[in-house]
């Protein structure tokens, strides 16, 4: 599916996750966040960086991983990305939705 | 995204075998990760999962569990249950499943409320200090029903 955001056309799946990471930019990220009711702060960017790092290293994302990340604790994670932090943060970060149950 | 009609999940955990405790934990955590509220009420043997001294020593049931594919008499031999438990924990670690204590911390930090059943706490002569620090309180089943305070609340007995 095509979607126009921040005056740019991007490819997304039916759940709104970007399918081509090469299209991801910080401007797109901010607009995706806004659609989720999230206003990006410095802490949000730190989490996005962490998520990209894990994704590039082919490491699965999980809540347990967040706990050990040293970047953010679980409580903050839930308050920064309310209503499903892992699925929202990955959507904003332009990577696929994690398949993990934990 | 977010189209589910389930808004709140209330779990009653009445058993303390590893498979039952983890079923409750994974479902409660999975709910929070989907933006659904979740709470767990620990009653009867389920209380073992929130007792500081016992929670890391939960076992898988090898007797009376046909899915173990093991003759019942064999399952009852000394050491068999401990061995099966060790094997299961190893497999869970491979999947990055946290141990019981850490899982409870994760649940609490994720906003999942954890409750002890007053009747069972009294019956087993437990004190508040025997139970994990993350516990939100010791309440009655009536109090727990009152936690079902919104549309789309579901209650599950494990």
């Amino acid at each position: 599916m095509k979607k126009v955001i921040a005056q740019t056309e991007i490819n997304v799946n039916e759940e709104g996750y970007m399918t081509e990471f090469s299209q991801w930019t910080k401007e797109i990220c901010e607009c995706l966040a806004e659609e989720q009711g999230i206003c990006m702060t410095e802490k949000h960017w730190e989490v996005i960086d962490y998520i990209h790092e894990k994704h590039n290293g082919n490491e699965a994302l999980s809540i347990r991983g967040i706990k050990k990340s040293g970047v953010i604790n679980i409580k903050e994670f839930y308050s920064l990305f309310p209503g499903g932090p892992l699925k929202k943060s990955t959507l904003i970060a332009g990577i696929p939705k994690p398949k993990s149950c934990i | 995204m977010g189209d589910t009609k389930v808004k709140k999940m209330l779990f009653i955990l009445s058993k303390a075998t590893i498979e039952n405790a983890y079923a409750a934990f994974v479902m409660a955590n999975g709910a929070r990760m989907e933006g659904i509220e979740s709470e767990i009420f620990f009653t009867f043997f389920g209380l073992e999962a929130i007792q500081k001294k016992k929670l890391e020593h939960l076992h898988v049931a090898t007797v009376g569990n046909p899915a173990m594919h093991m003759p019942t008499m064999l399952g009852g031999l000394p050491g068999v249950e401990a061995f099966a438990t060790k094997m299961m924990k190893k497999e869970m670690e491979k999947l990055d499943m946290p141990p019981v204590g850490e899982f409870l911390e994760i649940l609490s930090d994720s906003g999942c409320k954890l409750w002890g059943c007053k009747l069972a706490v009294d019956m087993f002569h437990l004190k508040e200090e025997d139970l994990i620090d993350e516990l939100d309180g010791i309440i009655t089943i009536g109090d727990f029903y009152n936690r079902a305070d919104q549309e789309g609340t579901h209650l599950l007995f494990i």
Side-chain angles (χ1 to χ4, degrees):
Chain A
M1 275 161 56
K2 301 267 184 206
K3 172 177 178 161
V4 177
I5 193 161
Q7 288 103 44
T8 322
E9 195 176 71
I10 57 169
N11 297 328
V12 294
N13 68 13
E14 61 284 353
E15 286 187 303
Y17 286 80
M18 290 178 70
T19 49
E20 277 170 57
F21 182 66
S22 59
Q23 296 175 334
W24 185 90
T25 63
K26 287 204 161 187
E27 289 70 42
I28 288 172
C29 182
E30 274 178 340
C31 292
L32 288 171
E34 209 180 303
E35 284 183 352
Q36 295 299 321
I38 293 165
C39 178
M40 295 296 284
T41 65
E42 210 169 304
K43 199 72 196 167
H44 287 93
W45 288 117
E46 273 181 49
V47 176
I48 299 295
D49 285 345
Y50 165 81
I51 285 171
H52 284 160
E53 207 177 288
K54 289 281 154 191
H55 183 67
N56 293 336
N58 267 330
E59 286 179 68
L61 286 158
S62 68
I63 285 288
R64 193 186 190 191
I66 293 289
K67 189 172 192 282
K68 292 179 182 166
S69 69
V71 175
I72 190 169
N73 64 38
I74 295 177
K75 272 186 196 167
E76 290 174 314
F77 190 45
Y78 271 89
S79 71
L80 286 184
F81 301 95
L86 214 47
K87 63 176 192 177
K88 286 206 172 167
S89 56
T90 47
L91 182 136
I92 293 166
I95 65 161
K97 184 174 164 183
K99 289 202 170 74
S100 164
C101 289
I102 315 164
Chain B
M1 237 163 93
D3 289 337
T4 179
K5 298 278 190 292
V6 181
K7 299 298 171 208
K8 190 171 191 174
M9 286 298 298
L10 298 178
F11 299 93
I12 298 176
L13 179 64
S14 65
K15 305 175 192 76
T17 50
I18 282 196
E19 65 271 28
N20 284 298
Y22 273 82
F25 294 173
V26 170
M27 285 191 277
N29 181 57
R32 292 300 301 129
M33 285 172 67
E34 288 298 317
I36 298 165
E37 283 184 54
S38 69
E39 308 195 2
I40 309 175
F41 183 73
F42 295 85
T43 188
F44 273 77
F45 297 112
L47 280 176
E48 301 241 326
I50 49 168
Q51 287 179 54
K52 286 176 189 161
K53 284 188 185 152
K54 294 189 173 171
L55 59 87
E56 296 301 354
H57 307 288
L58 304 188
H59 274 197
V60 59
T62 50
V63 173
N65 182 359
M68 286 300 287
H69 302 290
M70 181 188 282
T72 291
M73 282 178 70
L74 187 65
L77 290 177
V80 173
E81 198 174 87
F83 177 74
T85 300
K86 203 173 147 193
M87 293 304 290
M88 189 174 273
K89 282 188 175 170
K90 215 163 122 187
E91 288 303 314
M92 292 195 308
E93 186 60 43
K94 272 191 219 162
L95 290 174
D96 203 28
M97 280 170 87
V100 173
E102 189 187 335
F103 216 148
L104 288 165
E105 273 175 41
I106 290 175
L107 285 166
S108 175
D109 287 347
S110 302
C112 174
K113 297 250 182 272
L114 307 171
W115 307 105
C117 165
K118 185 170 186 317
L119 187 63
V121 166
D122 290 346
M123 198 183 92
F124 288 111
H125 306 293
L126 295 169
K127 295 186 196 73
E128 236 179 292
E129 57 262 34
D130 298 325
L131 306 173
I132 54 166
D133 300 333
E134 290 84 5
L135 202 68
D136 288 282
I138 297 169
I139 62 174
T140 67
I141 185 65
D143 296 331
F144 192 60
Y145 283 140
N146 279 306
R147 310 286 310 166
D149 54 2
Q150 57 176 280
E151 288 285 318
T153 303
H154 294 258
L155 199 145
L156 207 63
F157 182 84
I158 301 165

